[in-house]
């Protein structure tokens, strides 16, 4: 089982973010869950458990390529205080946008959307005007393309990459 708590659990002041452990060991009674020998996160044993698996984006044409985002910052500074509901001031972020699964000599399009409602779920090239920004990609070697973008932490940035020949 792999989960991200977005840096919420941090006994030493350094958030872990990603936790990996066998599913069977994640099931526990309350007493077991509270023991130091058990993984940090547990789900109840002996009752129905539910989960969500995000397996990818909605792409009715099956044309999108993997796009991975990373940021130069993994926390808010200053951090929100417990129980506080006021949003922190936006901060500048540098996004590293990496498209993988590319083939040399083939043309691709990378689209950025600034609004979730603008993101199509098919016909990405036909819906190109909905994107706030786009890149023409054609690599000579390798299998990936990387671009960096500066955004504000309160901006929306959604990316999709497809072959230039896709609908």
């Amino acid at each position: 089982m792999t989960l991200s708590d977005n840096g919420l659990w941090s006994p030493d002041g350094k958030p872990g973010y990603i936790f990996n452990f066998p599913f069977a060991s994640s099931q526990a009674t309350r007493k077991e869950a509270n023991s130091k020998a058990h993984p940090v996160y547990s789900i109840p044993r002996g009752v129905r458990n539910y989960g969500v698996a995000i397996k990818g984006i909605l792409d009715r044409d099956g044309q999108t390529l993997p796009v991975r985002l990373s940021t130069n910052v993994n926390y808010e500074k200053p951090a929100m205080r417990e129980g506080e509901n006021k949003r922190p001031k936006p901060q500048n972020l540098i996004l590293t946008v990496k498209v993988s699964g590319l083939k040399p000599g083939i043309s691709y399009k990378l689209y950025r959307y600034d609004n979730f409602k603008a993101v199509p779920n098919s016909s990405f090239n036909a819906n190109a005007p909905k994107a706030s920004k786009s890149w023409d990609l054609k690599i000579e070697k390798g299998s990936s393309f990387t671009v960096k973008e500066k955004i504000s932490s309160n901006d929306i940035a959604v990316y999709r990459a497809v072959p230039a020949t896709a609908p």
Side-chain angles (χ1 to χ4, degrees):
M1 179 165 100
T2 301
L3 66 93
S4 170
D5 72 354
N6 296 317
L8 296 176
W9 186 76
S10 176
D12 59 1
K14 297 177 184 174
Y17 295 96
I18 303 293
F19 298 87
N20 291 298
F21 40 85
F23 180 75
S25 70
S26 70
Q27 297 181 357
T29 64
R30 171 55 41 213
K31 184 177 180 180
E32 291 168 333
N34 289 337
S35 79
K36 293 188 187 285
H38 212 72
V40 174
Y41 291 102
S42 300
I43 56 177
R45 183 182 305 130
V47 298
R48 285 186 181 212
N49 290 301
Y50 300 89
V52 175
I54 300 172
K55 297 177 76 174
I57 63 164
L58 184 58
D59 172 14
R60 297 190 194 286
D61 300 327
Q63 295 287 313
T64 55
L65 295 151
V67 179
R68 181 177 212 96
L69 299 178
S70 58
T71 62
N72 65 321
V73 176
N74 287 327
Y75 55 87
E76 295 173 329
K77 201 173 187 180
M80 287 180 67
R81 292 189 179 114
E82 187 70 34
E84 191 173 306
N85 61 7
K86 184 181 175 193
R87 290 178 183 237
K89 282 186 174 184
Q91 64 185 51
N92 289 328
L93 299 174
I94 304 294
L95 292 180
T96 300
V97 183
K98 183 177 182 179
V99 182
S100 59
L102 303 176
K103 294 180 181 169
I106 305 292
S107 296
Y108 299 91
K109 297 289 286 186
L110 173 63
Y111 296 107
R112 175 184 166 182
Y113 307 90
D114 293 338
N115 180 323
F116 288 112
K117 291 181 180 179
V119 182
N121 55 32
S122 65
S123 304
F124 292 92
N125 290 324
N127 284 294
K130 293 181 178 182
S132 59
K133 195 170 183 180
S134 66
W135 294 260
D136 293 316
L137 314 180
K138 190 171 187 178
I139 60 171
E140 293 182 19
K141 61 181 181 176
S143 61
S144 65
F145 169 84
T146 302
V147 65
K148 292 188 182 279
E149 284 212 287
K150 183 178 179 180
I151 68 167
S152 179
S153 62
N154 64 345
D155 287 343
I156 294 172
V158 179
Y159 296 86
R160 298 292 186 264
V162 294
T165 57

